[in-house]
Amino acid sequence: MVSLKLQKRLAASVLKCGKRKVWLDPNEITEIHNANSRQNFRKLIKDGYVIRKPNKIHSRARVNKRLDAKRKGRHTGTGKRRGTREARFPSKVIWMRRMRVLRRLLKKYRESDKIDKHLYHTLYLKVKGNEFKNKRVLMEHIHKEKAELARAKQLQKEGEYRKARAAAKRERIKAREAEKQKKLLEGSA
């Protein structure tokens, strides 16, 4: 068996790959052995005596199958866990996500005039103070708060209306009294 070390190196250089990827035709060893320049190897490659081997397939089928199972919750029991709960899913990340969700909701409500800036501010501080555990709870609180405000406004309006009515009544009574007084004075005169 002749040494084809030089030929392998030249072929690899021409093919622009590693020496392990070069295939030399075992039936044409003599012709390949005589080739000692890149030009010769270009011709051998064209003739098909020297070929670049295809890349090996590194299948991800098994990996994908396992990941699918993991998405369903398999292989994640206590025996498979290496890090602490905090290391696996930090509470800070949970907190940041919650804050961003709730603040985004408040901002959206303020821009669409569902809440005024004063209510926005009080709710913003309550969100920061960990008063709402999720979006649903915050939305329920907003509805309740808005209903409360509307009720207060309605009561105030009713109070003002009552006051106005009472004032008008007093005026009428006063006018009537004045009328009576006038008649009495005219009658006596």
Side-chain angles (χ1 to χ4, degrees):
M1 183 75 195
V2 289
S3 172
L4 299 172
K5 210 170 177 185
L6 169 78
Q7 283 72 9
K8 258 231 162 108
R9 182 177 64 74
L10 285 172
S13 176
V14 172
L15 289 167
K16 292 189 175 70
C17 65
K19 286 178 278 197
R20 61 199 286 273
K21 282 270 183 273
V22 174
W23 176 83
L24 305 173
D25 192 343
N27 302 325
E28 304 295 333
I29 290 236
T30 50
E31 202 169 325
I32 292 168
H33 182 63
N34 292 333
N36 60 1
S37 69
R38 287 164 209 276
Q39 190 61 50
N40 292 353
F41 271 99
R42 286 193 194 95
K43 186 179 179 302
L44 290 173
I45 290 163
K46 204 170 109 179
D47 295 342
Y49 298 153
V50 176
I51 297 173
R52 179 182 176 159
K53 289 182 193 169
N55 289 340
K56 289 256 174 26
I57 301 297
H58 187 173
S59 172
R60 283 192 61 82
R62 286 182 297 279
V63 179
N64 291 337
K65 189 179 169 191
R66 192 169 182 87
L67 286 175
D68 284 342
K70 266 197 166 181
R71 280 188 204 105
K72 288 178 185 169
R74 318 284 187 266
H75 320 294
T76 51
T78 44
K80 290 286 180 188
R81 299 178 199 166
R82 297 298 292 273
T84 60
R85 179 197 281 147
E86 191 63 20
R88 285 162 65 85
F89 194 11
S91 55
K92 185 177 181 180
V93 169
I94 297 168
W95 170 262
M96 287 189 323
R97 282 183 190 174
R98 197 166 93 213
M99 284 300 102
R100 284 170 186 173
V101 164
L102 298 178
R103 284 172 181 177
R104 208 177 298 129
L105 180 79
L106 285 176
K107 201 172 166 195
K108 194 176 91 177
Y109 271 25
R110 184 184 60 182
E111 282 166 3
S112 62
D113 289 329
K114 284 186 179 176
I115 56 173
D116 62 341
K117 63 179 183 179
H118 306 293
L119 183 57
Y120 169 84
H121 187 65
T122 54
L123 289 175
Y124 189 96
L125 294 176
K126 282 182 177 180
V127 163
K128 188 184 178 183
N130 194 21
E131 216 168 289
F132 311 109
K133 69 171 185 175
N134 55 35
K135 206 158 128 177
R136 181 179 53 81
V137 174
L138 176 58
M139 284 165 84
E140 282 172 9
H141 188 274
I142 288 170
H143 291 314
K144 212 174 282 180
E145 200 77 14
K146 279 176 76 179
E148 198 71 30
L149 286 169
R151 193 163 158 271
K153 203 175 262 185
Q154 184 66 26
L155 287 171
Q156 192 181 355
K157 206 179 270 183
E158 282 175 15
E160 284 170 5
Y161 177 67
R162 280 204 196 98
K163 272 184 194 168
R165 254 176 59 190
K169 196 173 182 184
R170 276 198 300 277
E171 286 296 319
R172 283 201 306 275
I173 290 168
K174 210 180 263 182
R176 217 176 290 146
E177 287 292 320
E179 195 71 34
K180 271 185 186 175
Q181 288 288 347
K182 203 175 180 185
K183 277 185 181 175
L184 279 172
L185 286 171
E186 281 176 7
S188 63

